[in-house]
Amino acid sequence: MLNLRHIEVFHSVYVNGSISRASLALNVSQPAVSKVLKHAQDKLGFSLFRLVSGRLIATEEAHVLFRQVAEVYERIGSLQLTALNLGRAEEGHIRLAVLPSLGMGIGPAAVARCRAEMPGVTFDLKTVHHDDIVRSLHERDTDLALGYKPPDDPKLADVEIGSGELVILYRTEDLPDAPPRLDLSLLQDRDFIVLAGAGPLTHMVSHEVASRLLDITGGISVRTYFLAAALVRYGAGMAIVDEFTARASLAPGLDFRPLSPPVPFSVHCMHLRERPPSGTQLGFMSIIQQTLAGARG
């Protein structure tokens, strides 16, 4: 049926509203545009445009077809961008996956800093849950993944680039005179927002509670630290979150304190062993490391 040249000409005529403007946009002659458009209509077996009072008017069939052509054109644009990024070997394109808790502040801050220092580097940034990190890397959908304890996979390599602590996030009105650190036992008599799921930090919290024989239960269970922070803000209870989520969630009336005794964790940048980081990616990893250190003061 239609080839890419037909699609390109039809799209340009439809968008520009005339053969003359389409020819200017495509940088070809008007007869060339008219010839390709006529050939497209002959292939389709129906008219795409009619001349009414000197104006080119799209037919109903053209309106229907354009919706599909617009999607094709968008895909072509995406393909061209990908090809452009692949050709930018000296500048680089980084596909970065971050855990939601690191996507609230650390990930965006590091990307912004990298763009300021290396404006030629482009990014594709997304959030993934811990259980999806391996799949995202194996499917070549991600170059680097930023998370906590690396998944147990022999094909993965990682670099420890920072650390943090678990903290209790709370409303200041609920703990007006909070000490520098808070004991987990504080939560036994209060509303507690439980972090569910199989992530490494969730396991750390569960282990800490169990090892100290504490009876901490909650009436609300969530899957992301972002939701936990939002619930704390609305007065639904207190939550144990990573310090980066707590810092990114701070607002008037909210505060956090690290646990006593401390419960530290490490932050890792992961990649496939068979695809070691490029020079650009190593530079970005250094920026993430600096961003993590700066966030902790």
Side-chain angles (χ1 to χ4, degrees):
M1 296 294 287
L2 298 183
N3 59 35
L4 288 178
R5 186 57 175 167
H6 293 144
I7 291 172
E8 181 182 37
V9 168
F10 166 64
H11 182 275
S12 187
V13 173
Y14 187 99
V15 169
N16 290 286
S18 73
I19 298 290
S20 60
R21 286 195 290 270
S23 67
L24 288 173
L26 295 172
N27 196 29
V28 297
S29 67
Q30 293 185 38
V33 172
S34 298
K35 181 178 179 180
V36 173
L37 184 61
K38 182 179 184 305
H39 189 249
Q41 293 179 129
D42 290 343
K43 295 276 285 184
L44 291 168
F46 54 80
S47 296
L48 295 171
F49 300 94
R50 291 191 175 90
L51 195 61
V52 179
S53 301
R55 295 180 57 201
L56 206 61
I57 304 298
T59 63
E60 287 301 315
E61 291 85 354
H63 290 310
V64 173
L65 186 64
F66 181 77
R67 288 194 289 270
Q68 301 297 319
V69 166
E71 292 183 11
V72 173
Y73 227 69
E74 184 177 343
R75 290 178 180 271
I76 292 174
S78 177
L79 174 63
Q80 290 172 336
L81 178 60
T82 300
L84 177 64
N85 288 329
L86 288 172
R88 288 174 168 174
E90 74 285 357
E91 296 176 328
H93 178 68
I94 299 175
R95 297 172 301 172
L96 176 67
V98 300
L99 296 182
S101 56
L102 294 169
M104 296 175 64
I106 297 299
V111 168
R113 182 170 178 176
C114 183
R115 290 279 295 168
E117 296 181 11
M118 298 183 286
V121 178
T122 57
F123 283 90
D124 179 10
L125 180 63
K126 67 176 182 178
T127 59
V128 296
H129 291 287
H130 177 78
D131 292 344
D132 296 323
I133 287 177
V134 172
R135 179 186 57 79
S136 184
L137 288 167
H138 279 308
E139 292 180 355
R140 305 298 196 273
D141 190 42
T142 296
D143 300 313
L144 301 175
L146 186 62
Y148 302 126
K149 182 181 178 181
D152 186 15
D153 188 299
K155 294 185 178 181
L156 258 59
D158 71 277
V159 178
E160 184 175 334
I161 57 173
S163 61
E165 283 190 64
L166 292 182
V167 303
I168 294 180
L169 184 65
Y170 62 90
R171 292 193 306 172
T172 51
E173 64 184 82
D174 295 328
L175 287 176
D177 301 310
R181 288 185 174 270
L182 297 175
D183 193 283
L184 269 178
S185 59
L186 169 80
L187 297 172
Q188 289 192 118
D189 302 320
R190 296 179 181 270
D191 289 329
F192 178 53
I193 299 161
V194 179
L195 270 297
L201 299 194
T202 302
H203 289 162
M204 291 174 66
V205 174
S206 300
H207 173 76
E208 196 70 19
V209 170
S211 65
R212 298 181 58 184
L213 303 178
L214 298 175
D215 182 18
I216 299 177
T217 57
I220 303 175
S221 174
V222 296
R223 296 280 175 171
T224 67
Y225 290 112
F226 172 76
L227 282 175
L231 287 164
V232 173
R233 186 169 66 250
Y234 284 103
M238 298 182 183
I240 301 175
V241 299
D242 65 282
E243 67 174 89
F244 304 112
T245 293
R247 294 180 192 280
S249 304
L250 279 185
L254 282 187
D255 208 345
F256 70 90
R257 293 288 189 275
L259 294 174
S260 177
V263 182
F265 58 83
S266 55
V267 181
H268 298 254
C269 198
M270 293 157 266
H271 61 87
L272 290 177
R273 290 189 184 277
E274 64 184 45
R275 300 180 68 198
S278 65
T280 297
Q281 291 168 0
L282 288 172
F284 176 62
M285 289 165 63
S286 177
I287 288 176
I288 300 175
Q289 191 171 29
Q290 296 167 29
T291 304
L292 285 164
R296 304 197 70 193

